[in-house]
Coordinates of all heavy atoms in Angstrom, one line a residue:
V92 N 0.8 -1.2 0.0 CA 0.0 0.0 0.0 C 0.9 1.2 0.0 O 1.7 1.4 0.9 CB -0.9 0.0 1.2 CG1 -1.8 1.3 1.2 CG2 -1.8 -1.2 1.3
A93 N 0.7 2.1 -1.0 CA 1.5 3.3 -1.0 C 0.8 4.4 -0.2 O -0.4 4.5 -0.1 CB 1.6 3.8 -2.5
W94 N 1.7 5.2 0.4 CA 1.2 6.3 1.2 C 1.1 7.6 0.4 O 2.1 7.9 -0.3 CB 2.1 6.6 2.4 CG 2.0 5.5 3.5 CD1 1.9 4.2 3.3 CD2 2.1 5.7 4.9 NE1 1.8 3.5 4.5 CE2 2.0 4.4 5.5 CE3 2.3 6.8 5.7 CZ2 2.1 4.3 6.8 CZ3 2.4 6.6 7.0 CH2 2.2 5.4 7.6
D95 N 0.0 8.3 0.5 CA -0.1 9.5 -0.3 C 0.2 10.7 0.7 O 0.5 10.5 1.9 CB -1.4 9.7 -1.0 CG -2.6 9.7 0.0 OD1 -2.4 10.0 1.2 OD2 -3.7 9.4 -0.5
D96 N 0.1 11.9 0.2 CA 0.5 13.1 1.0 C -0.5 13.3 2.1 O -0.1 13.7 3.2 CB 0.5 14.3 0.1 CG 1.7 14.4 -0.8 OD1 2.7 13.6 -0.5 OD2 1.7 15.2 -1.7
T97 N -1.8 12.9 2.0 CA -2.7 13.0 3.0 C -2.3 12.1 4.2 O -2.3 12.5 5.4 CB -4.1 12.6 2.6 OG1 -4.4 13.4 1.4 CG2 -5.2 12.9 3.6
D98 N -2.0 10.8 3.9 CA -1.5 9.8 4.9 C -0.3 10.4 5.6 O -0.3 10.3 6.9 CB -1.2 8.5 4.2 CG -2.4 7.8 3.6 OD1 -3.5 8.0 4.1 OD2 -2.1 7.1 2.6
R99 N 0.6 10.9 4.9 CA 1.9 11.4 5.5 C 1.5 12.5 6.4 O 2.1 12.6 7.5 CB 2.9 11.8 4.4 CG 3.7 10.7 3.9 CD 4.8 11.2 3.0 NE 5.1 10.1 2.1 CZ 4.7 10.0 0.8 NH1 3.9 11.0 0.3 NH2 5.0 9.0 0.1
G100 N 0.6 13.4 6.0 CA 0.2 14.6 6.8 C -0.4 14.1 8.1 O -0.2 14.7 9.1
L101 N -1.3 13.1 8.0 CA -2.0 12.6 9.2 C -1.0 12.0 10.2 O -1.1 12.2 11.4 CB -3.1 11.6 8.8 CG -4.3 12.2 8.1 CD1 -5.2 11.1 7.5 CD2 -5.1 13.1 9.0
V102 N -0.1 11.2 9.7 CA 0.9 10.6 10.6 C 1.7 11.6 11.2 O 2.0 11.6 12.4 CB 1.8 9.6 9.8 CG1 2.9 9.1 10.6 CG2 0.9 8.4 9.4
L103 N 2.2 12.6 10.5 CA 3.0 13.7 11.0 C 2.3 14.5 12.1 O 2.8 14.8 13.2 CB 3.5 14.6 9.9 CG 4.6 14.0 9.0 CD1 4.9 15.0 7.9 CD2 5.9 13.7 9.8
A104 N 1.0 14.7 11.8 CA 0.1 15.4 12.8 C 0.0 14.6 14.1 O 0.0 15.1 15.2 CB -1.2 15.7 12.2
L105 N -0.2 13.3 13.9 CA -0.4 12.4 15.1 C 0.9 12.4 15.9 O 0.9 12.5 17.1 CB -0.7 11.0 14.6 CG -0.8 9.9 15.7 CD1 -2.1 10.2 16.6 CD2 -0.9 8.5 15.1
L106 N 2.1 12.2 15.2 CA 3.4 12.2 15.9 C 3.6 13.5 16.7 O 4.1 13.5 17.8 CB 4.5 12.0 14.9 CG 4.6 10.5 14.4 CD1 5.6 10.5 13.3 CD2 4.8 9.5 15.4
E107 N 3.2 14.6 16.0 CA 3.4 15.9 16.6 C 2.5 16.0 17.9 O 2.9 16.5 18.9 CB 2.9 17.0 15.6 CG 3.6 18.3 15.8 CD 3.4 19.2 14.6 OE1 4.0 19.0 13.5 OE2 2.6 20.1 14.7
E108 N 1.3 15.5 17.8 CA 0.3 15.6 18.9 C 0.9 14.7 20.0 O 0.8 15.1 21.2 CB -1.0 15.1 18.5 CG -2.1 15.3 19.5 CD -3.5 14.8 19.1 OE1 -4.0 15.2 18.0 OE2 -4.0 13.9 19.8
R109 N 1.4 13.5 19.7 CA 2.0 12.7 20.7 C 3.1 13.3 21.4 O 3.3 13.2 22.6 CB 2.4 11.3 20.1 CG 1.3 10.4 20.0 CD 1.8 9.0 19.6 NE 0.7 8.1 19.3 CZ 0.8 6.9 18.7 NH1 2.0 6.5 18.4 NH2 -0.2 6.2 18.5
A110 N 4.0 13.9 20.7 CA 5.2 14.6 21.2 C 4.8 15.7 22.1 O 5.4 16.0 23.1 CB 6.1 15.1 20.1
E111 N 3.6 16.3 21.8 CA 3.1 17.5 22.6 C 2.3 17.0 23.8 O 2.0 17.8 24.7 CB 2.3 18.4 21.7 CG 1.4 19.4 22.3 CD 2.1 20.5 23.0 OE1 3.3 20.6 23.0 OE2 1.4 21.4 23.6
T112 N 2.0 15.7 23.9 CA 1.2 15.2 25.0 C 2.1 14.7 26.1 O 3.0 14.0 26.0 CB 0.3 14.0 24.5 OG1 -0.5 14.4 23.4 CG2 -0.5 13.4 25.6
C113 N 1.8 15.2 27.3 CA 2.6 14.9 28.5 C 2.4 13.4 28.9 O 1.3 13.0 29.0 CB 2.1 15.8 29.7 SG 2.9 15.4 31.2
S114 N 3.5 12.7 29.1 CA 3.4 11.3 29.4 C 2.9 11.1 30.8 O 2.5 10.0 31.2 CB 4.8 10.6 29.2 OG 5.7 11.2 30.1
S115 N 2.9 12.1 31.6 CA 2.5 12.0 33.0 C 1.0 12.2 33.2 O 0.3 11.5 33.8 CB 3.3 12.9 33.9 OG 2.8 12.8 35.2
C116 N 0.5 13.3 32.6 CA -0.9 13.7 32.8 C -1.8 13.6 31.6 O -3.0 13.7 31.7 CB -1.0 15.1 33.4 SG -0.5 16.4 32.2
G117 N -1.2 13.5 30.4 CA -2.0 13.4 29.2 C -2.4 14.7 28.6 O -3.0 14.8 27.5
H118 N -2.1 15.8 29.3 CA -2.5 17.2 28.7 C -1.3 17.6 27.8 O -0.2 17.1 27.9 CB -2.7 18.2 29.9 CG -3.9 17.9 30.7 ND1 -5.2 18.2 30.3 CD2 -4.0 17.3 31.9 CE1 -6.0 17.8 31.2 NE2 -5.3 17.3 32.2
P119 N -1.6 18.6 27.0 CA -0.5 19.2 26.2 C 0.6 19.8 27.1 O 0.3 20.5 28.0 CB -1.2 20.3 25.4 CG -2.6 20.0 25.4 CD -2.9 19.3 26.7
T120 N 1.8 19.4 26.8 CA 2.9 19.9 27.7 C 3.0 21.4 27.7 O 3.5 22.0 28.7 CB 4.3 19.3 27.2 OG1 4.5 19.6 25.8 CG2 4.4 17.8 27.4
S121 N 2.6 22.1 26.6 CA 2.7 23.5 26.6 C 1.7 24.1 27.6 O 1.9 25.3 28.1 CB 2.3 24.1 25.2 OG 1.0 23.7 24.8
V122 N 0.7 23.3 28.1 CA -0.2 23.8 29.1 C 0.2 23.3 30.5 O 0.4 24.1 31.4 CB -1.7 23.3 28.8 CG1 -2.6 23.8 29.8 CG2 -2.1 23.8 27.4
C123 N 0.4 22.0 30.6 CA 0.7 21.5 32.0 C 2.1 21.9 32.5 O 2.3 21.9 33.7 CB 0.5 20.0 32.0 SG 1.8 19.0 31.3
R124 N 3.0 22.2 31.7 CA 4.3 22.6 32.2 C 4.4 24.1 32.3 O 5.5 24.7 32.7 CB 5.4 22.1 31.2 CG 5.3 20.7 30.8 CD 5.7 19.7 31.9 NE 5.4 18.3 31.6 CZ 6.3 17.5 31.0 NH1 7.4 17.9 30.7 NH2 5.9 16.3 30.7
D125 N 3.3 24.8 32.0 CA 3.3 26.3 32.1 C 3.0 26.6 33.6 O 1.9 26.3 34.1 CB 2.2 26.8 31.2 CG 2.1 28.4 31.3 OD1 2.8 29.0 32.2 OD2 1.4 28.9 30.4
H126 N 4.0 27.2 34.3 CA 3.8 27.5 35.7 C 2.6 28.5 35.9 O 2.1 28.6 37.1 CB 5.1 28.1 36.3 CG 6.2 27.1 36.3 ND1 6.1 25.9 37.0 CD2 7.3 27.0 35.5 CE1 7.2 25.2 36.7 NE2 8.0 25.8 35.9
N127 N 2.2 29.2 34.9 CA 1.1 30.1 35.0 C -0.2 29.4 35.2 O -1.3 30.0 35.6 CB 1.0 31.1 33.8 CG 2.1 32.0 33.8 OD1 2.6 32.5 34.8 ND2 2.6 32.3 32.5
T128 N -0.2 28.1 34.9 CA -1.5 27.3 35.1 C -1.6 26.7 36.5 O -2.6 26.1 36.9 CB -1.6 26.1 34.1 OG1 -0.6 25.1 34.4 CG2 -1.4 26.6 32.7
A129 N -0.5 27.0 37.4 CA -0.6 26.5 38.8 C -1.8 27.0 39.5 O -2.1 28.2 39.3 CB 0.7 26.9 39.5
G130 N -2.5 26.2 40.2 CA -3.7 26.6 40.9 C -5.0 26.5 40.0 O -6.1 26.8 40.5
H131 N -4.8 26.1 38.8 CA -6.0 26.0 37.9 C -6.3 24.6 37.5 O -7.0 24.3 36.6 CB -5.7 26.8 36.6 CG -5.6 28.3 36.8 ND1 -6.7 29.1 36.7 CD2 -4.5 29.0 37.1 CE1 -6.3 30.3 37.0 NE2 -5.0 30.3 37.2
W132 N -5.8 23.6 38.3 CA -6.0 22.2 38.0 C -6.9 21.6 39.1 O -6.6 21.7 40.3 CB -4.7 21.4 37.9 CG -3.8 21.9 36.8 CD1 -2.8 22.9 36.8 CD2 -3.9 21.5 35.4 NE1 -2.3 23.1 35.6 CE2 -2.9 22.2 34.7 CE3 -4.7 20.6 34.7 CZ2 -2.7 22.1 33.3 CZ3 -4.5 20.4 33.4 CH2 -3.5 21.2 32.7
D133 N -7.9 20.9 38.6 CA -8.7 20.1 39.6 C -8.3 18.6 39.4 O -8.0 18.2 38.2 CB -10.2 20.2 39.2 CG -10.8 21.6 39.7 OD1 -10.2 22.1 40.7 OD2 -11.7 22.1 39.0
V134 N -8.4 17.8 40.4 CA -8.1 16.4 40.3 C -9.5 15.7 40.2 O -10.3 15.9 41.0 CB -7.3 15.9 41.5 CG1 -7.2 14.4 41.5 CG2 -5.9 16.5 41.6
V135 N -9.6 14.9 39.2 CA -10.8 14.2 39.0 C -10.5 12.7 39.3 O -9.7 12.1 38.7 CB -11.4 14.3 37.5 CG1 -12.6 13.5 37.3 CG2 -11.6 15.8 37.2
E136 N -11.2 12.1 40.3 CA -11.0 10.7 40.6 C -12.1 9.9 40.0 O -13.3 10.3 40.1 CB -11.0 10.5 42.1 CG -9.7 11.2 42.7 CD -9.6 10.8 44.2 OE1 -10.1 9.8 44.6 OE2 -8.9 11.6 44.9
D137 N -11.8 8.7 39.6 CA -12.7 7.8 39.0 C -12.2 6.4 39.2 O -11.0 6.3 39.5 CB -13.0 8.1 37.6 CG -14.4 7.6 37.1 OD1 -15.0 6.8 37.9 OD2 -14.8 8.0 36.0
T138 N -12.9 5.4 39.1 CA -12.4 4.0 39.3 C -12.8 3.2 38.0 O -13.9 3.2 37.6 CB -13.1 3.3 40.5 OG1 -12.8 4.1 41.7 CG2 -12.6 1.9 40.7
C139 N -11.7 2.6 37.5 CA -11.9 1.7 36.3 C -12.2 0.3 37.0 O -11.3 -0.2 37.6 CB -10.7 1.7 35.5 SG -10.6 0.3 34.3
E140 N -13.4 -0.2 36.8 CA -13.7 -1.4 37.5 C -13.0 -2.6 36.9 O -12.6 -3.5 37.6 CB -15.3 -1.7 37.4 CG -16.1 -0.7 38.1 CD -15.9 -0.7 39.6 OE1 -15.5 -1.8 40.2 OE2 -16.0 0.4 40.2
A141 N -12.6 -2.5 35.6 CA -11.9 -3.6 35.0 C -10.5 -3.6 35.6 O -9.9 -4.7 36.0 CB -11.8 -3.4 33.5
S142 N -9.8 -2.5 35.7 CA -8.5 -2.4 36.3 C -8.5 -2.8 37.8 O -7.5 -3.4 38.3 CB -7.9 -1.0 36.2 OG -7.8 -0.6 34.8
R143 N -9.6 -2.5 38.5 CA -9.7 -2.8 39.9 C -9.5 -4.3 40.1 O -8.8 -4.7 40.9 CB -11.0 -2.3 40.5 CG -11.1 -2.2 42.0 CD -12.3 -1.5 42.4 NE -13.5 -2.2 42.1 CZ -14.0 -3.3 42.7 NH1 -13.4 -3.8 43.7 NH2 -15.1 -3.8 42.3
V144 N -10.3 -5.1 39.3 CA -10.2 -6.5 39.5 C -8.9 -7.1 39.0 O -8.4 -8.1 39.6 CB -11.5 -7.3 38.9 CG1 -12.7 -6.9 39.7 CG2 -11.6 -7.0 37.5
A145 N -8.4 -6.5 37.9 CA -7.1 -7.0 37.3 C -6.0 -6.8 38.3 O -5.1 -7.6 38.5 CB -6.9 -6.3 36.0
E146 N -6.0 -5.6 39.0 CA -4.9 -5.3 39.9 C -5.0 -6.2 41.1 O -4.0 -6.6 41.7 CB -5.0 -3.8 40.4 CG -4.5 -2.9 39.3 CD -4.8 -1.4 39.6 OE1 -5.1 -1.0 40.7 OE2 -4.9 -0.6 38.6
A147 N -6.3 -6.5 41.6 CA -6.4 -7.4 42.7 C -5.8 -8.8 42.4 O -5.2 -9.4 43.2 CB -7.9 -7.6 43.0
V148 N -6.0 -9.3 41.2 CA -5.5 -10.6 40.8 C -3.9 -10.5 40.8 O -3.3 -11.4 41.3 CB -6.0 -11.0 39.4 CG1 -5.2 -12.2 38.8 CG2 -7.4 -11.3 39.4
M149 N -3.4 -9.4 40.3 CA -1.9 -9.3 40.3 C -1.4 -9.2 41.7 O -0.3 -9.8 42.0 CB -1.5 -8.0 39.5 CG -1.8 -8.1 38.0 SD -1.0 -9.5 37.2 CE 0.6 -8.7 36.8
E150 N -2.1 -8.4 42.6 CA -1.6 -8.3 44.0 C -1.7 -9.6 44.7 O -0.8 -10.0 45.5 CB -2.5 -7.3 44.7 CG -2.2 -5.8 44.4 CD -3.2 -4.8 44.8 OE1 -4.1 -5.2 45.7 OE2 -3.2 -3.7 44.3
N151 N -2.7 -10.4 44.4 CA -2.9 -11.7 45.1 C -1.7 -12.6 44.6 O -1.2 -13.5 45.4 CB -4.2 -12.4 44.7 CG -5.3 -11.7 45.5 OD1 -5.1 -11.0 46.4 ND2 -6.6 -11.9 45.0
N152 N -1.3 -12.5 43.4 CA -0.2 -13.3 42.8 C 1.1 -13.0 43.5 O 1.9 -13.9 43.8 CB -0.1 -13.2 41.3 CG 0.9 -14.1 40.7 OD1 0.8 -15.4 41.0 ND2 1.9 -13.6 40.0
V153 N 1.3 -11.7 43.8 CA 2.5 -11.3 44.5 C 2.6 -11.9 45.9 O 3.6 -12.3 46.4 CB 2.6 -9.7 44.6 CG1 3.7 -9.3 45.5 CG2 2.8 -9.2 43.2
K154 N 1.4 -12.0 46.6 CA 1.3 -12.5 47.9 C 1.3 -14.0 48.0 O 1.4 -14.6 49.0 CB 0.1 -11.9 48.6 CG 0.1 -10.4 48.9 CD -1.2 -10.0 49.6 CE -1.6 -8.5 49.2 NZ -3.0 -8.4 49.2
A155 N 1.0 -14.6 46.9 CA 0.8 -16.1 46.8 C 2.0 -16.9 47.2 O 3.1 -16.4 46.9 CB 0.3 -16.5 45.5
E156 N 1.8 -18.0 47.8 CA 3.0 -18.9 48.2 C 3.6 -19.4 47.0 O 4.8 -19.4 46.9 CB 2.4 -20.0 49.1 CG 3.4 -20.4 50.2 CD 2.7 -21.3 51.2 OE1 1.9 -20.8 52.0 OE2 2.9 -22.5 51.1
V157 N 2.8 -19.8 46.0 CA 3.3 -20.3 44.7 C 2.9 -19.3 43.7 O 1.7 -19.1 43.3 CB 2.8 -21.7 44.4 CG1 3.3 -22.1 43.0 CG2 3.1 -22.7 45.4
K158 N 3.9 -18.5 43.2 CA 3.6 -17.4 42.3 C 3.5 -17.9 40.9 O 4.3 -18.8 40.5 CB 4.6 -16.3 42.4 CG 4.6 -15.6 43.7 CD 5.8 -14.7 43.9 CE 5.9 -14.0 45.2 NZ 5.7 -14.9 46.4
R159 N 2.6 -17.4 40.1 CA 2.5 -17.7 38.7 C 3.5 -16.8 37.9 O 3.2 -15.6 37.8 CB 1.1 -17.6 38.1 CG 0.2 -18.6 38.7 CD -1.2 -18.4 38.2 NE -1.3 -18.4 36.8 CZ -2.3 -18.0 36.1 NH1 -3.4 -17.5 36.7 NH2 -2.3 -18.0 34.7
R160 N 4.6 -17.3 37.5 CA 5.6 -16.5 36.8 C 5.1 -16.1 35.4 O 4.4 -16.9 34.8 CB 6.9 -17.3 36.7 CG 7.6 -17.5 38.0 CD 8.9 -18.2 37.8 NE 9.6 -18.3 39.1 CZ 10.4 -19.3 39.4 NH1 10.6 -20.3 38.6 NH2 11.0 -19.3 40.6
G161 N 5.4 -14.9 35.0 CA 5.0 -14.5 33.7 C 3.5 -14.2 33.6 O 3.0 -14.1 32.4
L162 N 2.8 -14.0 34.7 CA 1.4 -13.8 34.7 C 1.1 -12.5 34.0 O 1.6 -11.4 34.4 CB 0.8 -13.8 36.1 CG -0.7 -13.5 36.2 CD1 -1.5 -14.5 35.5 CD2 -1.0 -13.4 37.7
I163 N 0.2 -12.5 33.0 CA -0.3 -11.3 32.4 C -1.8 -11.4 32.5 O -2.4 -12.4 32.2 CB 0.1 -11.3 30.9 CG1 1.6 -11.2 30.7 CG2 -0.6 -10.1 30.1 CD1 2.1 -11.3 29.3
V164 N -2.4 -10.3 32.9 CA -3.9 -10.3 33.0 C -4.4 -9.2 32.0 O -3.8 -8.2 31.7 CB -4.4 -10.0 34.4 CG1 -3.9 -11.1 35.4 CG2 -4.0 -8.6 34.9
S165 N -5.6 -9.5 31.5 CA -6.4 -8.6 30.7 C -7.8 -8.8 31.2 O -8.1 -9.7 31.9 CB -6.2 -8.8 29.2 OG -6.6 -10.1 28.9
T166 N -8.7 -7.9 30.7 CA -10.1 -8.0 31.1 C -11.0 -8.1 29.9 O -10.7 -7.6 28.9 CB -10.5 -6.8 32.0 OG1 -10.2 -5.6 31.3 CG2 -9.7 -6.8 33.3
R167 N -12.1 -8.7 30.1 CA -13.2 -8.7 29.1 C -14.5 -8.5 29.8 O -14.7 -9.0 30.9 CB -13.2 -9.9 28.2 CG -13.6 -11.2 28.9 CD -13.7 -12.3 27.9 NE -13.7 -13.6 28.7 CZ -12.7 -14.4 28.7 NH1 -11.7 -14.3 27.8 NH2 -12.7 -15.5 29.5
F168 N -15.3 -7.7 29.2 CA -16.6 -7.4 29.8 C -17.6 -8.5 29.5 O -17.7 -8.9 28.4 CB -17.1 -6.0 29.2 CG -18.4 -5.6 29.7 CD1 -18.5 -5.2 31.0 CD2 -19.6 -5.6 28.9 CE1 -19.8 -4.8 31.6 CE2 -20.8 -5.2 29.4 CZ -20.9 -4.8 30.8
Q169 N -18.3 -8.9 30.6 CA -19.3 -9.9 30.5 C -20.6 -9.3 30.8 O -20.9 -9.0 32.0 CB -19.0 -11.1 31.4 CG -17.7 -11.8 31.0 CD -17.8 -13.3 31.4 OE1 -18.7 -14.0 31.1 NE2 -16.7 -13.7 32.0
P170 N -21.5 -9.0 29.9 CA -22.8 -8.3 30.2 C -23.7 -9.2 31.1 O -23.6 -10.4 31.1 CB -23.4 -8.2 28.9 CG -22.6 -8.7 27.8 CD -21.4 -9.3 28.5
Ligands
ZN447 ZN1 1.7 17.0 32.4

């Protein structure tokens, strides 16, 4: 599949956006690293139920007498 100028433009825009996205908070670095924004941030807490159960399984494995080496967990939604 050949890439045209539109594809190249979209990829470059995506890479630019990723480079501009803070790896810590996910906001644009030009905003979150600006000290003038201090005092203007609210913390929003939420719970990912899928991550909650997955983390519990990982924690139990760490505490287990016989640990499952190489354990990887993922989640799937069951309606
Ligand atoms: Zn940040």
Side-chain angles (χ1 to χ4, degrees):
V92 179
W94 288 38
D95 62 22
D96 286 345
T97 307
D98 296 329
R99 278 189 206 97
L101 287 171
V102 168
L103 288 174
L105 178 67
L106 291 174
E107 208 167 287
E108 190 183 300
R109 278 191 188 166
E111 163 69 2
T112 302
C113 177
S114 59
S115 178
C116 70
H118 293 283
T120 52
S121 60
V122 178
C123 75
R124 310 287 170 89
D125 180 351
H126 297 293
N127 292 322
T128 69
H131 293 272
W132 295 95
D133 286 331
V134 174
V135 180
E136 291 188 25
D137 206 347
T138 301
C139 168
E140 294 299 329
S142 296
R143 193 171 65 79
V144 293
E146 286 169 21
V148 167
M149 294 300 275
E150 285 167 14
N151 288 345
N152 187 53
V153 169
K154 292 180 211 148
E156 218 166 284
V157 180
K158 294 170 183 52
R159 291 178 56 194
R160 292 183 176 145
L162 175 64
I163 295 172
V164 299
S165 60
T166 54
R167 71 174 157 246
F168 181 68
Q169 299 209 45

